[in-house]
Amino acid sequence: MSFGLFSLLPPLLAIVLALATRNVIPALFCGVWLGATMLADYNPAAGFYNSFADFIVPSIGDEWNATVLIYCGLFGVLISVLQRTGGAHAIAQAISRKVNTARGAQGASLGLGMLIFFEDYFNALTVGSVMRPISDRMKVSREKLAYIVDSTSAPMCLLGPVSTWVVFVMGLIGTQMTQMDISGSEYLLYLSTIPLNFYAWLALGMIVLIVVTQWDFGPMAHAERRARETGKLMEDGAKPPSDTEAMALDAPKETAKKRNMLVPIAVLLVMIPPLFLWTGDYGNNDLVTAVGNADGGQSILIATMLAVMVGLGMGMQQRLFGFREAMDILVDGIKSMTLVYIILALAWSIGSVTSELGTADYLVTLAQANISPSLVPVLLFAIGAVVAFTTGTSYGTFAIMIPIAMPVAAAMDLPMALAIAAVLSGGIFGDHCSPISDTTILSSAGSSCDHIDHVRTQLPYAATAGISGMLAFFVAGLFGTLIGAFAGVAALVSIALLLRAFWQPGMAGKARLS
């Protein structure tokens, strides 16, 4: 049965409900239910039953999907282990002893944010809380610290080789590859999106530009001037959010050692290449064939398990906790990924529903008839940004957009990696600008900054990188990715220079912060 235009209803309902409720879970479930109802001759009771029997339960039980759920849980355990053993604090304390300028404090915050690339929540809370005393001492405004924290957490999670975000996106890509009968490794496809994730690179580049040159503009320039000249780190009347969890991270860890973080992460990264070769049957296959045939999910799962075992072993060896507490850490880490499990299961389910309805086929036909292929990347970026801004969730945006972007890219002969990267970039951009984003809220909490002040001061910087990213995807669609990347960088520097010259609130356009 062909549903034509009506095949768009389930994903559209998911988007509309996500915007209205600002909660992606009921939105995705309602999308699944509507699609199952349509497939059951519009019987809502049968549709409700089939939502579980035909889509949700089979999605969870699929071998590939089960692998994704397991290594998501192991990543949650790894984050809990790293937090409990205090390695990040030891690294921050070592950094703090060498910082003696405001520029140095900002650069150290950027460096620590780039180092903690494996989980955005852990990044936001850890970097904000451990760098806050250093930034305060150097008279860096809380708004500037929150901006640096926020703009490193999500981008680094998609630019690093492994993270909780990577395993989530791999789950979406892998399922779509199976449905589209695309051979190859979902992990290698993901890695190919990293250099094309223009907004993530430009957001980091924006921080480097601001930190090195101190070209502050807009509300941030006022905040920095206030902090440097009056010593007021926040606006009068500011109300920083409650950051109980972040304050818990502030507890001194005299026994914590830098290796408590560096060694498990090194194990994780070092073990992935040989596991790729092993799962790709290297020896019977040549190197290229082995890498192409590798099981990325199994490789990351085993590498993460080994990193968890090493981290727990180090913690027990240093008497930071005993065996029973180690098992509690393991269970708590798995529990921390519950939200990810639910979103993934529903994302897989709505993907299956839209596949049965022929949504992707209809969109491909529509796009081929009305949209130039060169415009598809910039449109994917823009739509992803709008969805993420209004819902406050990158995960939900990826879950809705990747099953649409991949079939469209395949049908219009576009680079698959560029289409996926456009969705990822748009999701991060919208997330950065959204006041209801979880990472934005946690960045405010970790930095102890008034949330509205953080959003207000960050917005011009995020918009600068976002406009540059949009131009990069537009040019990439027309002339290629390399020219698109150069266009994005040129736009970023040009816009920053113009705003620096003409938007200096309360500074008469002259003062330079240093």
Side-chain angles (χ1 to χ4, degrees):
M1 182 183 294
S2 175
F3 288 86
L5 179 64
F6 292 103
S7 67
L8 298 177
L9 288 177
L12 283 177
L13 177 65
I15 292 173
V16 170
L17 288 179
L19 301 182
T21 65
R22 295 190 173 95
N23 194 316
V24 74
I25 290 176
L28 286 171
F29 177 77
C30 287
V32 173
W33 186 11
L34 175 61
T37 298
M38 294 168 64
L39 290 166
D41 294 328
Y42 298 92
N43 182 328
F48 186 82
Y49 175 83
N50 292 342
S51 296
F52 292 92
D54 294 344
F55 298 107
I56 296 176
V57 174
S59 292
I60 297 173
D62 178 80
E63 181 180 354
W64 159 252
N65 294 352
T67 302
V68 172
L69 294 176
I70 292 171
Y71 67 60
C72 274
L74 289 174
F75 255 98
V77 176
L78 180 61
I79 301 307
S80 296
V81 171
L82 296 177
Q83 184 169 334
R84 181 66 179 81
T85 55
H89 281 264
I91 292 172
Q93 289 166 7
I95 292 172
S96 69
R97 289 192 287 270
K98 300 181 179 180
V99 171
N100 52 23
T101 66
R103 182 184 281 109
Q106 295 173 36
S109 301
L110 169 62
L112 186 59
M114 294 178 69
L115 181 63
I116 305 177
F117 58 82
F118 37 83
E119 214 278 328
D120 58 330
Y121 286 8
F122 184 63
N123 181 308
L125 289 172
T126 301
V127 177
S129 63
V130 301
M131 293 305 300
R132 189 169 66 225
I134 303 168
S135 297
D136 288 355
R137 191 171 71 247
M138 295 297 114
K139 294 184 178 180
V140 176
S141 66
R142 293 284 178 81
E143 293 93 332
K144 174 64 79 64
L145 176 61
Y147 158 66
I148 294 173
V149 168
D150 201 357
S151 293
T152 52
S153 57
M156 283 310 305
C157 285
L158 285 176
L159 297 180
V162 284
S163 71
T164 51
W165 287 48
V166 171
V167 296
F168 180 85
V169 174
M170 274 180 59
L172 300 174
I173 293 174
T175 299
Q176 202 60 38
M177 288 176 67
T178 301
Q179 292 180 359
M180 296 170 62
D181 197 25
I182 298 176
S183 59
S185 166
E186 65 286 332
Y187 184 57
L188 292 181
L189 177 56
Y190 174 80
L191 291 179
S192 67
T193 70
I194 291 177
L196 306 179
N197 196 336
F198 294 136
Y199 177 77
W201 287 111
L202 291 169
L204 287 178
M206 185 71 181
I207 304 175
V208 173
L209 182 68
I210 295 297
V211 169
V212 172
T213 66
Q214 298 291 288
W215 287 352
D216 287 303
F217 52 82
M220 189 70 79
H222 169 77
E224 283 290 272
R225 185 184 185 192
R226 180 203 68 228
R228 307 291 173 81
E229 295 184 358
T230 69
K232 293 181 178 179
L233 302 173
M234 294 181 285
E235 289 282 1
D236 292 334
K239 296 179 179 179
S242 173
D243 54 345
T244 305
E245 188 172 357
M247 292 300 291
L249 290 171
D250 279 337
K253 292 178 167 56
E254 302 296 338
T255 58
K257 298 176 175 61
K258 289 179 283 187
R259 66 173 181 267
N260 288 353
M261 174 177 158
L262 297 178
V263 172
I265 295 301
V267 170
L268 175 65
L269 298 178
V270 169
M271 288 305 301
I272 288 177
L275 285 167
F276 251 66
L277 297 178
W278 181 43
T279 58
D281 197 20
Y282 180 63
N284 294 324
N285 294 320
D286 59 65
L287 179 64
V288 175
T289 304
V291 171
N293 293 338
D295 189 332
Q298 290 282 2
S299 300
I300 294 180
L301 187 155
I302 296 170
T304 307
M305 185 65 197
L306 291 172
V308 166
M309 292 169 64
V310 168
L312 288 173
M314 292 176 67
M316 288 188 287
Q317 186 270 329
Q318 296 170 32
R319 300 184 184 279
L320 298 176
F321 46 77
F323 179 79
R324 180 170 294 183
E325 189 176 354
M327 295 301 99
D328 290 339
I329 292 172
L330 190 148
V331 172
D332 290 341
I334 294 173
K335 287 180 180 178
S336 71
M337 300 299 287
T338 302
L339 182 62
V340 175
Y341 297 152
I342 297 172
I343 295 176
L344 267 177
L346 291 174
W348 290 325
S349 301
I350 199 169
S352 298
V353 165
T354 55
S355 178
E356 290 289 328
L357 293 171
T359 306
D361 294 337
Y362 177 75
L363 283 173
V364 166
T365 303
L366 199 65
Q368 287 176 324
N370 298 284
I371 300 174
S372 168
S374 60
L375 296 178
V376 170
V378 71
L379 287 175
L380 290 173
F381 174 86
I383 295 170
V386 170
V387 173
F389 175 80
T390 49
T391 61
T393 168
S394 297
Y395 275 25
T397 301
F398 302 157
I400 293 169
M401 295 297 298
I402 286 179
I404 294 173
M406 291 180 65
V408 169
M412 304 188 78
D413 199 26
L414 287 169
M416 189 69 69
L418 181 63
I420 296 171
V423 171
L424 301 181
S425 279
I428 303 175
F429 173 45
D431 193 72
H432 273 168
C433 297
S434 176
I436 60 172
S437 160
D438 46 6
T439 50
T440 303
I441 293 168
L442 285 175
S443 297
S444 300
S447 304
S448 193
C449 174
D450 183 280
H451 182 58
I452 299 303
D453 287 342
H454 167 45
V455 174
R456 179 175 55 85
T457 53
Q458 174 171 270
L459 190 57
Y461 291 4
T464 299
I467 293 169
S468 303
M470 183 174 290
L471 177 65
F473 280 109
F474 176 72
V475 174
L478 292 172
F479 304 111
T481 55
L482 186 60
I483 298 176
F486 280 119
V489 173
L492 181 79
V493 176
S494 300
I495 295 172
L497 276 170
L498 287 172
L499 291 175
R500 167 67 181 167
F502 297 107
W503 193 9
Q504 292 284 294
M507 300 172 65
K510 299 178 182 179
R512 175 171 176 167
L513 300 173
S514 59

